[in-house]
Amino acid sequence: MDPITSYLIEVAKLPQSTVIFLYTLPLLATLIGISRYIIGLRTFNLYPHLVLTYIFFQLSLTNAGGYDVLGALKYGVFIIVFILLATIIIKAGTNRINMHFIPKKAITIIFLCLIILLSLVLAGALYKTAFVNIDSIVLLLVLIIAEEFLSIYTKKGLETLLKVTVETLVISILMFLLITWPEFQNFI
């Protein structure tokens, strides 16, 4: 381990996950730019990719200090698909309400919070794990993603939302796999 990383982890007592986050963030932002402008994928803006990638990363952290990559993918994709479907349903329901943007957004957040709670209960029942111990920051990030879903759905429609979500999810999963790869972490 290089001296700077050793200092950050051993002397400054930063968690290894925080150091990995800070080291990989600039590289991931660059990879997102490459995927959009060189490869030509239509995806969300920069932040939703990063948010999704680090949602998977947070879900992968184990109490032993390792990573549960398959568990993170299983739970992460479950949450994202559940929230995507919920956003579509909520949008259809709030379209009929004639009110200002901010109160309508507040109603959307209320329903999304209830649906996230339901998804946690459902995931805990289906997977029989301590999935309900999910970090509250991850839940906030999920709400940010839901708001991005809602924005794309409102501006571009359902077909574009689905296409952009799939491409964003694929890129985010690939970036998550990259940052949890031990050889890549050693390289960084």
Side-chain angles (χ1 to χ4, degrees):
M1 194 176 323
D2 70 280
I4 295 172
T5 305
S6 293
Y7 177 81
L8 291 172
I9 293 173
E10 295 166 12
V11 178
K13 302 292 186 204
L14 286 176
Q16 183 177 351
S17 60
T18 301
V19 174
I20 291 169
F21 170 79
L22 292 172
Y23 281 3
T24 59
L25 189 63
L27 178 66
L28 295 182
T30 303
L31 291 174
I32 294 165
I34 289 170
S35 70
R36 288 190 65 162
Y37 295 106
I38 295 177
I39 299 172
L41 295 176
R42 287 187 63 199
T43 59
F44 288 122
N45 296 324
L46 180 70
Y47 293 112
H49 287 89
L50 296 173
V51 167
L52 278 173
T53 300
Y54 290 109
I55 285 173
F56 288 121
F57 186 72
Q58 270 307 116
L59 290 173
S60 76
L61 298 176
T62 64
N63 291 336
Y67 303 106
D68 179 10
V69 173
L70 293 177
L73 291 174
K74 177 173 62 173
Y75 298 136
V77 170
F78 174 84
I79 289 172
I80 298 304
V81 168
F82 201 83
I83 292 302
L84 175 66
L85 294 173
T87 303
I88 292 168
I89 292 167
I90 291 169
K91 170 76 171 122
T94 58
N95 274 349
R96 298 180 180 150
I97 300 172
N98 190 15
M99 65 174 49
H100 292 283
F101 179 73
I102 298 298
K104 191 182 280 191
K105 183 83 76 174
I107 289 171
T108 302
I109 289 173
I110 290 168
F111 282 112
L112 282 173
C113 287
L114 291 172
I115 289 171
I116 288 172
L117 183 62
L118 176 65
S119 73
L120 293 175
V121 170
L122 185 60
L126 288 176
Y127 298 122
K128 306 282 190 253
T129 65
F131 185 66
V132 293
N133 293 330
I134 190 169
D135 190 350
S136 58
I137 297 298
V138 172
L139 296 177
L140 178 63
L141 294 175
V142 168
L143 280 173
I144 291 169
I145 292 298
E147 187 175 4
E148 189 70 25
F149 288 162
L150 188 61
S151 176
I152 294 290
Y153 186 30
T154 301
K155 293 176 186 172
K156 306 281 183 172
L158 182 60
E159 185 178 331
T160 301
L161 170 66
L162 295 176
K163 183 177 187 227
V164 168
T165 300
V166 167
E167 290 180 6
T168 299
L169 196 56
V170 167
I171 291 170
S172 297
I173 288 171
L174 291 174
M175 290 189 309
F176 160 69
L177 293 173
L178 180 66
I179 66 173
T180 55
W181 185 30
E183 285 79 12
F184 178 75
Q185 289 181 1
N186 290 334
F187 172 73
I188 291 293

